Amino acid sequence: DGRVVRVGGGARSAGYRQRAADLLGATITVPDSDETVATGAAAQAAAVHAGETVAAVAERWGLGAGELVSPARDAAERRVANAEASAVV
């Protein structure tokens, strides 16, 4: 669905999450689950076993929820200024 998701040890850092959102210019999701890889594997196995889509299992299990981190306004303004400066050169 075009979402950017950050997982792993670095995703626990508020600074890392904010910097990633700023650099990408996109809102990122940090899942509530600590074991995202294991949970994803379990959802895939459940989907195959039940003959369902992974999306259906994920929705039923309430997966995909998490903290949303949006780019800082000043970061977006810096990206625009940098793009304009690069176009002039």
Side-chain angles (χ1 to χ4, degrees):
D1 63 13
R3 292 187 308 156
V4 177
V5 180
R6 291 283 179 232
V7 298
R12 293 184 187 123
S13 164
Y16 173 83
R17 293 189 301 256
Q18 187 62 61
R19 186 69 172 152
D22 292 349
L23 289 171
L24 293 171
T27 299
I28 64 168
T29 302
V30 180
D32 292 333
S33 171
D34 286 334
E35 297 295 335
T36 53
V37 174
T39 303
Q44 290 177 19
V48 169
H49 179 72
E52 297 179 302
T53 65
V54 174
V57 171
E59 183 175 340
R60 190 171 68 246
W61 289 5
L63 303 180
E67 178 185 352
L68 299 178
V69 181
S70 298
R73 180 181 169 96
D74 64 331
E77 292 169 356
R78 281 194 310 271
R79 278 193 304 279
V80 169
N82 289 339
E84 291 172 351
S86 295
V88 172
V89 174

